[in-house]
Amino acid sequence: DNVAKKRKMYEDFLTHISILKDMDPYERSKVADSLKTKTFSDEEIIIKEGEPGDTFYIIIEGNALAIKGKTVIKTYSKGDYFGELALLKNKPRAATVKAKDSCQVVYLDRKSFKRLLGPIEEILHRNVENYRKVLKQFGLDTACIEGN
Ligand code: CMP
């Protein structure tokens, strides 16, 4: 059936995502079941800085850019994730994320993120330190990632 097909399709892919590969296989299969797919075209805005956000994304094909103000602060490719900060910290989106060429993503809503990625929340929180370093390197305000 559909559920089995989707699980098979994403289970293997998810083992290649660095933050998810240490998850329990059963938990990871639950993530696979909950993913939805969306394709963005070149230059399309996936996340807009300053807006409220309820979605967590992983790229399954293509590339994207994270931009703060006018500065490109990160480039993303297959297997990279973004959009977790607004969910972890209950803050507006810290940056804009824009598709570069065509970009296919899988995504989770806030409820599924909290329920399914609870076991790795600590790892996601730890990564915020890297964001802080990058923002400082570019001379950008770090207020967007502080708190919680
Ligand atoms: P979020 O704030 O939900 O939406 C914008 C996303 O950009 C953010 O989550 C992170 O996933 C991502 N991002 C990439 N680099 C940075 C950075 N240096 N500071 C903050 N967010 C970043």
Side-chain angles (χ1 to χ4, degrees):
D1 63 345
N2 248 338
V3 175
K5 223 190 259 174
K6 192 158 120 183
R7 183 176 289 197
K8 192 164 154 27
M9 188 158 73
Y10 289 129
E11 246 179 354
D12 181 60
F13 171 74
L14 294 180
T15 63
H16 298 289
I17 315 276
S18 55
I19 43 152
L20 302 182
K21 66 171 183 253
D22 295 325
M23 255 180 132
D24 179 73
Y26 174 76
E27 286 171 351
R28 208 168 39 232
S29 68
K30 289 285 162 203
V31 174
D33 292 348
S34 303
L35 294 174
K36 291 175 183 158
T37 319
K38 192 169 177 179
T39 302
F40 292 90
S41 51
D42 188 26
E43 303 265 303
E44 203 175 339
I45 305 286
I46 305 171
I47 282 177
K48 197 163 183 187
E49 182 179 352
E51 289 193 345
D54 281 303
T55 313
F56 170 74
Y57 299 90
I58 302 170
I59 297 185
I60 59 171
E61 206 61 71
N63 304 287
L65 303 172
I67 302 157
K68 191 161 175 65
K70 290 191 166 180
T71 310
V72 175
I73 54 175
K74 198 173 173 73
T75 59
Y76 294 112
S77 57
K78 185 174 181 170
D80 291 335
Y81 69 89
F82 54 85
E84 81 290 12
L85 272 187
L87 309 187
L88 289 175
K89 292 178 171 285
N90 295 308
K91 295 191 92 174
R93 296 296 198 185
T96 291
V97 180
K98 196 166 87 171
K100 197 181 167 217
D101 305 317
S102 172
C103 181
Q104 197 181 354
V105 300
V106 286
Y107 63 95
L108 292 175
D109 63 22
R110 179 183 287 268
K111 252 173 90 181
S112 306
F113 175 84
K114 289 282 175 192
R115 180 165 49 92
L116 300 166
L117 299 191
I120 61 155
E121 226 181 277
E122 200 43 50
I123 300 171
L124 293 169
H125 269 293
R126 254 179 268 145
N127 188 242
V128 176
E129 187 50 41
N130 295 326
Y131 291 155
R132 186 173 292 111
K133 280 185 195 148
V134 171
L135 294 174
K136 283 186 173 166
Q137 274 168 7
F138 284 112
L140 296 166
D141 193 358
T142 58
C144 60
I145 59 167
E146 304 305 348
N148 282 294

